[in-house]
Amino acid sequence: MPELFSDDWMVDYGNAWNDESDLGDALAKIGFSSNIGYGFDGEDQPRGYLQVENGYVTGAGAYSGQPLNWDLRAKPADWKKWCDGGLGMMAMGMAYTTGKLKFKTGDYGAMVKNPAMAGPFIKSFSVMGRVATS
């Protein structure tokens, strides 16, 4: 099984994202296109990235300097907890306000106030849980 945010894991996550119409279709409706980085708190750069165009992943893998619209960071134990159990709106708010989930790039406030973005963001955590990790 691939390691969380490794090249292989990110490709599997991208495929799982594209298989989830509640995620891709919802984001396509608002024309969501972004590069999203994922990594661990305290590291200089993210470990993995997704390139999303009109709601669907068109590129995924290990991060190698791509410009990012979103850069999400947390401790490995928190990522594991969220992958295993998902993340609801209340839990996401608590994770953000307590500093467990950090947005090094991206506007958390604007995202959480927009239901068309917040719902799919929450959904992306349950999709993460479908990807096996070592």
Side-chain angles (χ1 to χ4, degrees):
M1 289 183 276
E3 183 179 336
L4 185 65
F5 306 136
S6 68
D7 189 62
D8 289 340
W9 192 91
M10 292 305 298
V11 169
D12 291 346
Y13 178 40
N15 289 333
W17 175 302
N18 288 342
D19 288 343
E20 179 54 63
S21 61
D22 288 343
L23 186 52
D25 287 353
L27 291 172
K29 287 179 185 173
I30 61 169
F32 181 83
S33 295
S34 289
N35 284 343
I36 307 167
Y38 297 89
F40 299 126
D41 191 22
E43 294 185 347
D44 290 337
Q45 62 183 24
R47 292 190 175 207
Y49 87 99
L50 293 180
Q51 179 181 349
V52 179
E53 295 180 14
N54 288 317
Y56 285 90
V57 174
T58 58
Y63 178 74
S64 60
Q66 296 87 347
L68 298 174
N69 305 97
W70 301 90
D71 183 353
L72 309 175
R73 305 295 184 90
K75 293 182 178 182
D78 289 320
W79 280 120
K80 180 169 177 18
K81 177 176 69 175
W82 300 326
C83 285
D84 290 347
L87 185 68
M89 190 63 96
M90 290 280 284
M92 179 182 65
M94 287 299 296
Y96 178 75
T97 58
T98 60
K100 289 185 176 185
L101 177 61
K102 295 181 177 162
F103 286 67
K104 288 194 77 163
T105 305
D107 187 348
Y108 171 82
M111 181 273 299
V112 78
K113 290 175 188 172
N114 181 348
M117 284 182 67
F121 182 76
I122 296 293
K123 185 69 170 179
S124 72
F125 283 86
S126 65
V127 172
M128 276 184 191
R130 298 179 196 158
V131 181
T133 59
S134 55

